[in-house]
Amino acid sequence: MDAERLPEGHAIRVHLDRLLAERGMTLAELAARVGVTNVNLSILKNGRAKAIRFTTLTRICDVLGCQPGDLLSHHPSDG
């Protein structure tokens, strides 16, 4: 999926690739530390997730040392 293209039905971009690169962390390492599967994180990373639990979002932010706004952004003109 092109990084600038968003799935139909929402205008939320996920910046997990950037955050992982900035921290020198792999998706597999994040998945293990957060306690979710690689597949679920990959779905989120690729912008295909339909929802995210606040508990999962909290754990991702704790592990990456970020705020939810660092991970997600809203682009209404794109969606």
Side-chain angles (χ1 to χ4, degrees):
M1 167 186 243
D2 183 76
E4 293 301 313
R5 218 174 122 219
L6 298 169
E8 284 187 42
H10 74 77
I12 301 298
R13 286 195 185 145
V14 180
H15 308 288
L16 193 51
D17 275 338
R18 178 179 49 82
L19 292 170
L20 289 171
E22 288 172 356
R23 286 148 179 84
M25 187 181 295
T26 65
L27 190 70
E29 182 182 352
L30 179 62
R33 292 179 64 185
V34 169
V36 297
T37 66
N38 284 356
V39 171
N40 283 341
L41 271 189
S42 181
I43 290 168
L44 176 64
K45 179 179 76 88
N46 293 321
R48 293 188 179 128
K50 295 183 193 242
I52 183 170
R53 292 176 188 233
F54 282 137
T55 53
T56 302
L57 182 59
T58 298
R59 289 192 304 260
I60 290 171
C61 289
D62 286 345
V63 170
L64 294 178
C66 69
Q67 294 294 314
D70 299 327
L71 180 64
L72 307 170
S73 62
H74 181 240
H75 299 268
S77 61
D78 294 344

